């Protein structure tokens, strides 16, 4: 019997404990190796996976490696993004669909996963995606802006909020998912 379990899911702690008493557990970390090891038959799942869009080559393996290095520093090793999110890209034969598939994976799986991991701490999500290092705002998945508001016009006089500063605002930029440079900027 082979079973898989995400160690990051703490809601299964009791089940996890019961299973660990009865079975052997072998950690399976994200496989971002470039080449297979000596004596191995299969290539690593993301080896050689490069997606071309608008004349730009996106190295999926390198991108995942960089995101996971950042997640490990900001959170822990158990919350790294698995290579399985990107393995459907390896099976797609139509090169025109590959970039759209990558965008869909980021939009529907990676960004929501990071939101959950970091409890919507958008500053950390920006760090994982390298958005803080991207000079062009169009390359950022998560845009950051100052939320300077006139508190009196919002709450009226006597609101008592003079000592508070308004929070920074973060918005997901849908256009970034269709921008190859947004992915390159991750690594």
């Amino acid at each position: 019997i082979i079973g898989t379990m995400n160690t990051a899911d703490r809601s299964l702690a009791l089940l996890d404990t019961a299973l660990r008493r009865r079975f052997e557990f072998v950690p399976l970390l994200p496989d971002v190796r470039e080449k297979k090891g000596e004596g191995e038959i299969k290539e690593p799942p993301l080896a050689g996976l490069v997606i071309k869009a608008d004349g730009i080559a996106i190295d999926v393996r390198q991108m995942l490696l960089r995101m996971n290095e950042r997640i490990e520093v900001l959170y822990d090793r158990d919350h790294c993004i698995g290579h399985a999110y990107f393995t459907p890209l390896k099976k797609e034969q139509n090169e025109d669909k590959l970039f759209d598939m990558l965008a869909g994976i980021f939009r529907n799986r990676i960004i929501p996963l990071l939101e959950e991991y970091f409890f919507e701490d958008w500053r950390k999500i920006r760090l994982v995606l390298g958005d803080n290092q991207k000079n062009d705002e169009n390359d950022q998945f998560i845009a950051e802006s100052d939320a300077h508001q006139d508190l009196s016009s919002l709450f009226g006089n006597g609101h008592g909020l003079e000592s508070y500063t308004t929070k920074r605002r973060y918005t997901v930029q849908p256009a970034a998912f269709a921008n190859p440079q947004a992915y390159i900027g991750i690594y």
Side-chain angles (χ1 to χ4, degrees):
I1 296 174
I2 297 175
T4 62
M5 184 171 179
N6 185 345
T7 58
D9 192 348
R10 300 296 176 208
S11 66
L12 299 173
L14 293 175
L15 178 62
D16 180 45
T17 303
L19 290 173
R20 286 181 187 276
R21 287 194 307 253
R22 292 165 178 86
F23 298 99
E24 289 184 26
F25 275 65
V26 178
L28 179 62
L29 299 174
D31 191 348
V32 290
R33 295 174 299 139
E34 235 177 312
K35 303 181 224 179
K36 64 182 175 180
E38 191 175 316
E40 290 182 341
I41 298 169
K42 289 185 172 183
E43 288 287 325
L46 302 181
L49 181 55
V50 175
I51 296 174
K52 294 185 178 142
D54 297 336
I56 297 169
I58 302 165
D59 186 337
V60 176
R61 186 196 64 78
Q62 186 63 36
M63 182 180 61
L64 179 61
L65 174 65
R66 181 65 63 198
M67 286 191 302
N68 280 338
E69 288 172 341
R70 292 172 179 154
I71 289 170
E72 193 169 342
V73 169
L74 294 171
Y75 204 161
D76 62 28
R77 186 180 82 163
D78 288 339
H79 286 81
C80 287
I81 298 169
H83 58 269
Y85 285 103
F86 300 98
T87 54
L89 297 170
K90 193 90 172 182
K91 297 173 186 169
E92 179 58 53
Q93 300 298 317
N94 186 338
E95 286 189 28
D96 296 333
K97 289 184 180 178
L98 276 173
F99 184 70
D100 291 337
M101 284 179 68
L102 178 65
I105 290 167
F106 262 80
R107 184 183 309 104
N108 301 322
R109 303 198 67 197
I110 302 301
I111 299 294
L113 181 67
L114 293 173
E115 283 180 69
E116 181 183 330
Y117 280 177
F118 294 106
F119 304 101
E120 294 188 21
D121 183 343
W122 294 101
R123 189 179 59 82
K124 286 183 180 174
I125 295 169
R126 282 178 47 82
L127 291 172
V128 170
L129 298 171
D131 284 347
N132 62 310
Q133 299 176 53
K134 299 172 184 171
N135 294 328
D136 188 347
E137 203 172 284
N138 295 322
D139 296 346
Q140 298 174 10
F141 291 100
I142 313 296
E144 180 180 34
S145 62
D146 288 322
H148 294 294
Q149 289 183 301
D150 179 12
L151 296 177
S152 293
S153 69
L154 189 60
F155 295 107
N157 293 333
H159 52 72
L161 298 174
E162 285 80 24
S163 64
Y164 293 96
T165 58
T166 53
K167 292 182 177 181
R168 297 191 60 75
R169 290 192 179 182
Y170 298 93
T171 53
V172 176
Q173 297 196 107
F177 296 103
N179 180 355
Q181 285 297 340
Y183 301 93
I184 294 290
I186 292 172
Y187 61 97

